[in-house]
Structures are given as C-alpha cells and as structure tokens.
Amino acid sequence: MRRMKAVIAYDGTNFSGYQAQPGKRTVQSEIENVLTEMHKGEKVRIYASGRTDARVHATGQVIHFDTRLFIPSENYKIALNAQLPGDVRILEMEEVSPDFHARFSAKGKRYRYKWNCEEVQSPFKRHYTVETKGRKPDVGKMKEGAGYLIGTHDFTSFCAASTPVEDKVRTIHSLDFEWHNQELHMVIEGSGFLYNMVRIIAGTLWEVGIGKREPESVKEALEAKNREMAGTTAPPHGLYLEKVFYE
C-alpha cells in the first residue's frame, strides 16, 4: 500500500460541503467515487485536513488516501483530473510516509475571506465574494479589533453554539486585511479553527468596520465566552481555505 497526499482546490458553490452526506453532492464523495472506479470497485476512503461547509471554497485543501495502484504521482494527478467534475481539481500529488495524516499532521491553516465593496457587483462574482453594495468599512478599526484575537485564547464566543469540541482554546498567529482593487480580504492564520470560527470573526470585525460595534467589544466578547456576545456569522461563499501547514 502507498499513502498519497494531494493538494486540492474546489469551487464550493454547488457542493453541500466537503464531507460525504447521504443523498448530497460533496467534495469527498466526488473524489472517492473516481478513486473507487480507478480501483475496480474497491472503496477508497480519503481524509482531509478538515471539513468545509456548503458554498465554502478551497484553494489549498489537503487530503490523503491509501492505494494499491503503483501509478507515478504525476500520472495519478492527471488521471484523477480527467475524471473529476470541473469544480474540483487536484493541484499537487505526492507519495508520503505511512504515518502522514492530512488532519492530525497539520500544524496550522490559513483562510481568506473576501468582501466586494464595488457599488455594483459583477454577477460573475456573486458566488465568490460577499457584496457590500459599495459600503467600505473602516479597516483601521477592524485591525484594532483583530488585535485582541491574536495569540492563544478560548474562542467559545467565536464558534457555533452547537460546536461539540470541549477544548475551544486555539492560537491565531496573524490576522490582517488587504485591499485588492475594490475587494477587501481578511487573511487569518492559526493553529486550528473551530466550527464557523473564521466566519464569526469575519462577521464580528465587519460590524466593527461599519460602526455597528466598537473595537473593544471584540475583547469583551472573547472574555465573555458567550456566542451571543460576538457578531453575526458571515456568509459562506466569501470564505476560502487557502493553505494547510505541515512540518
């Protein structure tokens, strides 16, 4: 058996998320279906660095799987891309040691969130950036609010109330904002992220940027460990899993 690691990208628009779900189209099921066909009906399970929700995109998701096929890595990538639908692509593929695990070997992740601040958003961007109808936030205040989130904290206030994980302590290494013409991007890197954590941070900092809350309220929400103290959950289609870090 060989263990293969792949970096994949997908357009989340028409997926019900990454993880396989009965009767729904998911990234996992699309890739597993192709691998199973390549293995003459033998079920091949893939493992990802983490799940993404419906309509969330990825430009650098990482998966691994075990295979009995002795196909060179580059040829494996070509074969998969030839059979996968156009909204999923294998970007890189390599053979790794048997102890590598896409999820448990990961040391951190980087996400990007995109707002489109044009007065009139192109219809071709509607699935990939969140429309603000020309509203431009005070990025200085957003950065001030973001400063309270840097470091190691209990992020109970910044994850879905239904999050089953008991340990909600995570470390954010960096959180910054970039203008790309009329698009504002939030770029965040951390040791790991809780369910809806990046979208809740984005929604909270957007509220700071438009004057709906003060930068200091981010600190207050963090200390409260109460989901109701943070802002709204930003829409899924503005979010991209950009990179997964390994040693």
Side-chain angles (χ1 to χ4, degrees), residues 4 20 22 24 27 58 70 76 86 124 128 151 202 204 212 223 225 231:
M4 307 300 294
K24 294 188 176 181
V27 178
F70 286 90
Y76 220 135
F124 301 107
Y128 310 107
T204 303
K212 192 173 179 180
E223 293 173 344
K225 300 177 186 176

Side-chain angles (χ1 to χ4, degrees), residues 195-213:
Y195 183 50
N196 279 353
M197 181 171 159
V198 178
R199 288 169 57 195
I200 293 169
I201 288 173
T204 303
L205 294 177
W206 178 260
E207 290 179 3
V208 170
I210 62 173
K212 192 173 179 180
R213 61 167 64 224

